PDB file of all heavy atoms in Angstrom:
ATOM      1  N   LYS A  88     114.816 117.219  84.638  1.00  0.00           N
ATOM      2  CA  LYS A  88     115.239 118.592  84.315  1.00  0.00           C
ATOM      3  C   LYS A  88     116.176 118.687  83.040  1.00  0.00           C
ATOM      4  O   LYS A  88     117.099 117.869  82.912  1.00  0.00           O
ATOM      5  CB  LYS A  88     115.997 119.199  85.503  1.00  0.00           C
ATOM      6  CG  LYS A  88     115.114 119.511  86.680  1.00  0.00           C
ATOM      7  CD  LYS A  88     114.143 120.610  86.431  1.00  0.00           C
ATOM      8  CE  LYS A  88     113.262 120.925  87.621  1.00  0.00           C
ATOM      9  NZ  LYS A  88     114.053 121.531  88.753  1.00  0.00           N
ATOM     10  N   GLY A  89     115.850 119.682  82.182  1.00  0.00           N
ATOM     11  CA  GLY A  89     116.614 119.772  81.060  1.00  0.00           C
ATOM     12  C   GLY A  89     116.481 118.738  79.945  1.00  0.00           C
ATOM     13  O   GLY A  89     117.109 118.814  78.959  1.00  0.00           O
ATOM     14  N   THR A  90     115.437 117.924  80.120  1.00  0.00           N
ATOM     15  CA  THR A  90     115.197 116.909  79.078  1.00  0.00           C
ATOM     16  C   THR A  90     113.879 117.231  78.347  1.00  0.00           C
ATOM     17  O   THR A  90     113.035 118.032  78.728  1.00  0.00           O
ATOM     18  CB  THR A  90     115.037 115.549  79.712  1.00  0.00           C
ATOM     19  OG1 THR A  90     113.807 115.452  80.474  1.00  0.00           O
ATOM     20  CG2 THR A  90     116.127 115.251  80.750  1.00  0.00           C
ATOM     21  N   PRO A  91     113.523 116.528  77.262  1.00  0.00           N
ATOM     22  CA  PRO A  91     112.343 116.693  76.511  1.00  0.00           C
ATOM     23  C   PRO A  91     111.117 116.390  77.436  1.00  0.00           C
ATOM     24  O   PRO A  91     110.069 116.971  77.232  1.00  0.00           O
ATOM     25  CB  PRO A  91     112.394 115.719  75.370  1.00  0.00           C
ATOM     26  CG  PRO A  91     113.875 115.626  75.161  1.00  0.00           C
ATOM     27  CD  PRO A  91     114.511 115.671  76.526  1.00  0.00           C
ATOM     28  N   ILE A  92     111.308 115.559  78.449  1.00  0.00           N
ATOM     29  CA  ILE A  92     110.166 115.264  79.346  1.00  0.00           C
ATOM     30  C   ILE A  92     109.756 116.535  80.093  1.00  0.00           C
ATOM     31  O   ILE A  92     108.518 116.807  80.293  1.00  0.00           O
ATOM     32  CB  ILE A  92     110.479 114.138  80.292  1.00  0.00           C
ATOM     33  CG1 ILE A  92     110.683 112.845  79.488  1.00  0.00           C
ATOM     34  CG2 ILE A  92     109.549 113.990  81.406  1.00  0.00           C
ATOM     35  CD1 ILE A  92     111.148 111.673  80.319  1.00  0.00           C
ATOM     36  N   GLU A  93     110.751 117.365  80.550  1.00  0.00           N
ATOM     37  CA  GLU A  93     110.374 118.513  81.325  1.00  0.00           C
ATOM     38  C   GLU A  93     109.606 119.488  80.409  1.00  0.00           C
ATOM     39  O   GLU A  93     108.653 120.070  80.782  1.00  0.00           O
ATOM     40  CB  GLU A  93     111.661 119.271  81.823  1.00  0.00           C
ATOM     41  CG  GLU A  93     111.340 120.555  82.566  1.00  0.00           C
ATOM     42  CD  GLU A  93     112.510 121.284  82.989  1.00  0.00           C
ATOM     43  OE1 GLU A  93     113.530 121.200  82.358  1.00  0.00           O
ATOM     44  OE2 GLU A  93     112.391 122.035  83.992  1.00  0.00           O
ATOM     45  N   GLN A  94     110.043 119.658  79.197  1.00  0.00           N
ATOM     46  CA  GLN A  94     109.340 120.591  78.261  1.00  0.00           C
ATOM     47  C   GLN A  94     107.958 119.998  78.008  1.00  0.00           C
ATOM     48  O   GLN A  94     107.025 120.814  77.800  1.00  0.00           O
ATOM     49  CB  GLN A  94     110.086 120.641  76.907  1.00  0.00           C
ATOM     50  CG  GLN A  94     109.585 121.729  75.947  1.00  0.00           C
ATOM     51  CD  GLN A  94     109.495 123.169  76.670  1.00  0.00           C
ATOM     52  OE1 GLN A  94     110.439 123.624  77.198  1.00  0.00           O
ATOM     53  NE2 GLN A  94     108.301 123.829  76.684  1.00  0.00           N
ATOM     54  N   ALA A  95     107.887 118.734  77.868  1.00  0.00           N
ATOM     55  CA  ALA A  95     106.532 118.056  77.641  1.00  0.00           C
ATOM     56  C   ALA A  95     105.553 118.423  78.825  1.00  0.00           C
ATOM     57  O   ALA A  95     104.403 118.780  78.605  1.00  0.00           O
ATOM     58  CB  ALA A  95     106.660 116.627  77.446  1.00  0.00           C
ATOM     59  N   MET A  96     106.081 118.459  80.010  1.00  0.00           N
ATOM     60  CA  MET A  96     105.331 118.765  81.230  1.00  0.00           C
ATOM     61  C   MET A  96     104.750 120.130  81.054  1.00  0.00           C
ATOM     62  O   MET A  96     103.635 120.433  81.418  1.00  0.00           O
ATOM     63  CB  MET A  96     106.130 118.668  82.433  1.00  0.00           C
ATOM     64  CG  MET A  96     106.527 117.216  82.856  1.00  0.00           C
ATOM     65  SD  MET A  96     107.611 117.153  84.254  1.00  0.00           S
ATOM     66  CE  MET A  96     108.017 115.437  84.370  1.00  0.00           C
ATOM     67  N   LEU A  97     105.655 121.070  80.750  1.00  0.00           N
ATOM     68  CA  LEU A  97     105.228 122.556  80.589  1.00  0.00           C
ATOM     69  C   LEU A  97     104.234 122.605  79.472  1.00  0.00           C
ATOM     70  O   LEU A  97     103.238 123.462  79.608  1.00  0.00           O
ATOM     71  CB  LEU A  97     106.442 123.382  80.323  1.00  0.00           C
ATOM     72  CG  LEU A  97     107.557 123.395  81.476  1.00  0.00           C
ATOM     73  CD1 LEU A  97     108.691 124.175  81.014  1.00  0.00           C
ATOM     74  CD2 LEU A  97     106.876 123.954  82.774  1.00  0.00           C
ATOM     75  N   ASP A  98     104.419 121.959  78.386  1.00  0.00           N
ATOM     76  CA  ASP A  98     103.564 122.058  77.267  1.00  0.00           C
ATOM     77  C   ASP A  98     102.086 121.644  77.520  1.00  0.00           C
ATOM     78  O   ASP A  98     101.200 122.125  76.863  1.00  0.00           O
ATOM     79  CB  ASP A  98     104.130 121.292  76.056  1.00  0.00           C
ATOM     80  CG  ASP A  98     105.398 121.850  75.485  1.00  0.00           C
ATOM     81  OD1 ASP A  98     105.680 123.119  75.781  1.00  0.00           O
ATOM     82  OD2 ASP A  98     106.128 121.195  74.761  1.00  0.00           O
ATOM     83  N   VAL A  99     101.947 120.578  78.398  1.00  0.00           N
ATOM     84  CA  VAL A  99     100.593 120.024  78.678  1.00  0.00           C
ATOM     85  C   VAL A  99      99.994 120.614  79.918  1.00  0.00           C
ATOM     86  O   VAL A  99      98.902 120.287  80.248  1.00  0.00           O
ATOM     87  CB  VAL A  99     100.679 118.547  78.735  1.00  0.00           C
ATOM     88  CG1 VAL A  99     101.123 117.881  77.476  1.00  0.00           C
ATOM     89  CG2 VAL A  99     101.588 118.047  79.916  1.00  0.00           C
ATOM     90  N   THR A 100     100.696 121.634  80.525  1.00  0.00           N
ATOM     91  CA  THR A 100     100.060 122.267  81.649  1.00  0.00           C
ATOM     92  C   THR A 100      99.587 123.618  81.273  1.00  0.00           C
ATOM     93  O   THR A 100     100.300 124.538  80.825  1.00  0.00           O
ATOM     94  CB  THR A 100     101.117 122.514  82.788  1.00  0.00           C
ATOM     95  OG1 THR A 100     101.653 121.200  83.193  1.00  0.00           O
ATOM     96  CG2 THR A 100     100.581 123.223  83.976  1.00  0.00           C
ATOM     97  N   PRO A 101      98.212 123.855  81.214  1.00  0.00           N
ATOM     98  CA  PRO A 101      97.697 125.172  80.695  1.00  0.00           C
ATOM     99  C   PRO A 101      98.258 126.294  81.308  1.00  0.00           C
ATOM    100  O   PRO A 101      98.441 127.395  80.665  1.00  0.00           O
ATOM    101  CB  PRO A 101      96.193 124.959  81.039  1.00  0.00           C
ATOM    102  CG  PRO A 101      95.981 123.490  80.919  1.00  0.00           C
ATOM    103  CD  PRO A 101      97.175 122.827  81.454  1.00  0.00           C
ATOM    104  N   MET A 102      98.689 126.344  82.603  1.00  0.00           N
ATOM    105  CA  MET A 102      99.229 127.493  83.209  1.00  0.00           C
ATOM    106  C   MET A 102     100.659 127.677  82.814  1.00  0.00           C
ATOM    107  O   MET A 102     101.271 128.691  83.257  1.00  0.00           O
ATOM    108  CB  MET A 102      98.956 127.450  84.780  1.00  0.00           C
ATOM    109  CG  MET A 102      97.582 127.498  85.158  1.00  0.00           C
ATOM    110  SD  MET A 102      97.323 127.566  86.980  1.00  0.00           S
ATOM    111  CE  MET A 102      97.922 129.141  87.365  1.00  0.00           C
ATOM    112  N   GLY A 103     101.266 126.770  82.151  1.00  0.00           N
ATOM    113  CA  GLY A 103     102.583 126.957  81.571  1.00  0.00           C
ATOM    114  C   GLY A 103     103.766 127.040  82.515  1.00  0.00           C
ATOM    115  O   GLY A 103     104.799 127.471  82.169  1.00  0.00           O
ATOM    116  N   ARG A 104     103.641 126.381  83.676  1.00  0.00           N
ATOM    117  CA  ARG A 104     104.692 126.348  84.619  1.00  0.00           C
ATOM    118  C   ARG A 104     104.596 125.228  85.588  1.00  0.00           C
ATOM    119  O   ARG A 104     103.571 124.605  85.592  1.00  0.00           O
ATOM    120  CB  ARG A 104     104.694 127.661  85.523  1.00  0.00           C
ATOM    121  CG  ARG A 104     103.532 127.847  86.464  1.00  0.00           C
ATOM    122  CD  ARG A 104     103.670 128.939  87.436  1.00  0.00           C
ATOM    123  NE  ARG A 104     102.569 129.235  88.322  1.00  0.00           N
ATOM    124  CZ  ARG A 104     102.291 128.591  89.396  1.00  0.00           C
ATOM    125  NH1 ARG A 104     103.143 127.554  89.873  1.00  0.00           N
ATOM    126  NH2 ARG A 104     101.282 128.852  90.154  1.00  0.00           N
ATOM    127  N   LEU A 105     105.656 124.924  86.237  1.00  0.00           N
ATOM    128  CA  LEU A 105     105.577 123.939  87.305  1.00  0.00           C
ATOM    129  C   LEU A 105     105.028 124.487  88.561  1.00  0.00           C
ATOM    130  O   LEU A 105     105.097 125.724  88.799  1.00  0.00           O
ATOM    131  CB  LEU A 105     107.047 123.386  87.641  1.00  0.00           C
ATOM    132  CG  LEU A 105     107.841 122.701  86.534  1.00  0.00           C
ATOM    133  CD1 LEU A 105     109.219 122.377  87.055  1.00  0.00           C
ATOM    134  CD2 LEU A 105     107.122 121.545  85.967  1.00  0.00           C
ATOM    135  N   GLY A 106     104.355 123.627  89.305  1.00  0.00           N
ATOM    136  CA  GLY A 106     103.677 124.034  90.567  1.00  0.00           C
ATOM    137  C   GLY A 106     104.726 124.144  91.650  1.00  0.00           C
ATOM    138  O   GLY A 106     105.863 123.652  91.511  1.00  0.00           O
ATOM    139  N   LYS A 107     104.309 124.732  92.756  1.00  0.00           N
ATOM    140  CA  LYS A 107     105.340 124.929  93.870  1.00  0.00           C
ATOM    141  C   LYS A 107     104.826 123.934  95.026  1.00  0.00           C
ATOM    142  O   LYS A 107     103.630 123.782  95.258  1.00  0.00           O
ATOM    143  CB  LYS A 107     105.296 126.393  94.343  1.00  0.00           C
ATOM    144  CG  LYS A 107     105.638 127.379  93.309  1.00  0.00           C
ATOM    145  CD  LYS A 107     105.422 128.786  93.861  1.00  0.00           C
ATOM    146  CE  LYS A 107     105.721 129.827  92.663  1.00  0.00           C
ATOM    147  NZ  LYS A 107     105.426 131.248  93.161  1.00  0.00           N
ATOM    148  N   PRO A 108     105.830 123.486  95.791  1.00  0.00           N
ATOM    149  CA  PRO A 108     105.415 122.572  96.878  1.00  0.00           C
ATOM    150  C   PRO A 108     104.449 123.254  97.848  1.00  0.00           C
ATOM    151  O   PRO A 108     103.505 122.631  98.355  1.00  0.00           O
ATOM    152  CB  PRO A 108     106.704 122.321  97.612  1.00  0.00           C
ATOM    153  CG  PRO A 108     107.747 122.335  96.459  1.00  0.00           C
ATOM    154  CD  PRO A 108     107.197 123.471  95.520  1.00  0.00           C
ATOM    155  N   ALA A 109     104.542 124.511  98.057  1.00  0.00           N
ATOM    156  CA  ALA A 109     103.672 125.308  98.979  1.00  0.00           C
ATOM    157  C   ALA A 109     102.192 125.263  98.445  1.00  0.00           C
ATOM    158  O   ALA A 109     101.320 125.357  99.294  1.00  0.00           O
ATOM    159  CB  ALA A 109     104.132 126.700  99.170  1.00  0.00           C
ATOM    160  N   GLU A 110     102.007 125.143  97.186  1.00  0.00           N
ATOM    161  CA  GLU A 110     100.691 125.101  96.635  1.00  0.00           C
ATOM    162  C   GLU A 110      99.980 123.826  96.896  1.00  0.00           C
ATOM    163  O   GLU A 110      98.736 123.776  97.182  1.00  0.00           O
ATOM    164  CB  GLU A 110     100.753 125.463  95.138  1.00  0.00           C
ATOM    165  CG  GLU A 110     101.164 126.877  94.824  1.00  0.00           C
ATOM    166  CD  GLU A 110     101.417 127.192  93.360  1.00  0.00           C
ATOM    167  OE1 GLU A 110     102.093 126.269  92.675  1.00  0.00           O
ATOM    168  OE2 GLU A 110     100.961 128.292  92.846  1.00  0.00           O
ATOM    169  N   ILE A 111     100.749 122.693  96.963  1.00  0.00           N
ATOM    170  CA  ILE A 111     100.150 121.472  97.433  1.00  0.00           C
ATOM    171  C   ILE A 111      99.989 121.434  98.888  1.00  0.00           C
ATOM    172  O   ILE A 111      98.925 120.933  99.372  1.00  0.00           O
ATOM    173  CB  ILE A 111     101.184 120.296  96.989  1.00  0.00           C
ATOM    174  CG1 ILE A 111     101.527 120.381  95.557  1.00  0.00           C
ATOM    175  CG2 ILE A 111     100.450 118.997  97.329  1.00  0.00           C
ATOM    176  CD1 ILE A 111     100.410 120.415  94.578  1.00  0.00           C
ATOM    177  N   ALA A 112     100.868 121.932  99.655  1.00  0.00           N
ATOM    178  CA  ALA A 112     100.716 122.046 101.047  1.00  0.00           C
ATOM    179  C   ALA A 112      99.468 122.810 101.540  1.00  0.00           C
ATOM    180  O   ALA A 112      98.792 122.402 102.443  1.00  0.00           O
ATOM    181  CB  ALA A 112     101.934 122.633 101.730  1.00  0.00           C
ATOM    182  N   ALA A 113      99.125 123.719 100.710  1.00  0.00           N
ATOM    183  CA  ALA A 113      97.863 124.568 101.067  1.00  0.00           C
ATOM    184  C   ALA A 113      96.664 123.806 100.970  1.00  0.00           C
ATOM    185  O   ALA A 113      95.736 123.837 101.772  1.00  0.00           O
ATOM    186  CB  ALA A 113      97.763 125.782 100.193  1.00  0.00           C
ATOM    187  N   GLY A 114      96.648 122.889  99.908  1.00  0.00           N
ATOM    188  CA  GLY A 114      95.498 121.881  99.751  1.00  0.00           C
ATOM    189  C   GLY A 114      95.395 120.890 100.932  1.00  0.00           C
ATOM    190  O   GLY A 114      94.336 120.642 101.365  1.00  0.00           O
ATOM    191  N   VAL A 115      96.579 120.442 101.250  1.00  0.00           N
ATOM    192  CA  VAL A 115      96.625 119.460 102.424  1.00  0.00           C
ATOM    193  C   VAL A 115      96.115 120.119 103.664  1.00  0.00           C
ATOM    194  O   VAL A 115      95.358 119.487 104.390  1.00  0.00           O
ATOM    195  CB  VAL A 115      98.130 118.954 102.541  1.00  0.00           C
ATOM    196  CG1 VAL A 115      98.152 118.095 103.777  1.00  0.00           C
ATOM    197  CG2 VAL A 115      98.544 118.133 101.324  1.00  0.00           C
ATOM    198  N   ALA A 116      96.599 121.328 103.921  1.00  0.00           N
ATOM    199  CA  ALA A 116      96.176 122.025 105.135  1.00  0.00           C
ATOM    200  C   ALA A 116      94.695 122.178 105.171  1.00  0.00           C
ATOM    201  O   ALA A 116      94.030 122.033 106.268  1.00  0.00           O
ATOM    202  CB  ALA A 116      96.845 123.403 105.263  1.00  0.00           C
ATOM    203  N   TYR A 117      94.062 122.457 104.073  1.00  0.00           N
ATOM    204  CA  TYR A 117      92.608 122.617 104.027  1.00  0.00           C
ATOM    205  C   TYR A 117      91.963 121.235 104.318  1.00  0.00           C
ATOM    206  O   TYR A 117      91.008 121.208 105.286  1.00  0.00           O
ATOM    207  CB  TYR A 117      92.144 123.071 102.620  1.00  0.00           C
ATOM    208  CG  TYR A 117      90.662 122.717 102.342  1.00  0.00           C
ATOM    209  CD1 TYR A 117      89.619 123.381 102.953  1.00  0.00           C
ATOM    210  CD2 TYR A 117      90.305 121.790 101.367  1.00  0.00           C
ATOM    211  CE1 TYR A 117      88.334 123.098 102.738  1.00  0.00           C
ATOM    212  CE2 TYR A 117      89.082 121.423 101.138  1.00  0.00           C
ATOM    213  CZ  TYR A 117      87.996 122.086 101.784  1.00  0.00           C
ATOM    214  OH  TYR A 117      86.748 121.793 101.560  1.00  0.00           O
TER     215      TYR A 117
END
């Protein structure tokens, strides 16, 4: 958090944001 690595993560994610834990949990539940 707050480092160039965090910005790099956002830059290479087409949706432009971090995911939410609940979004992973939904896939697991399926």
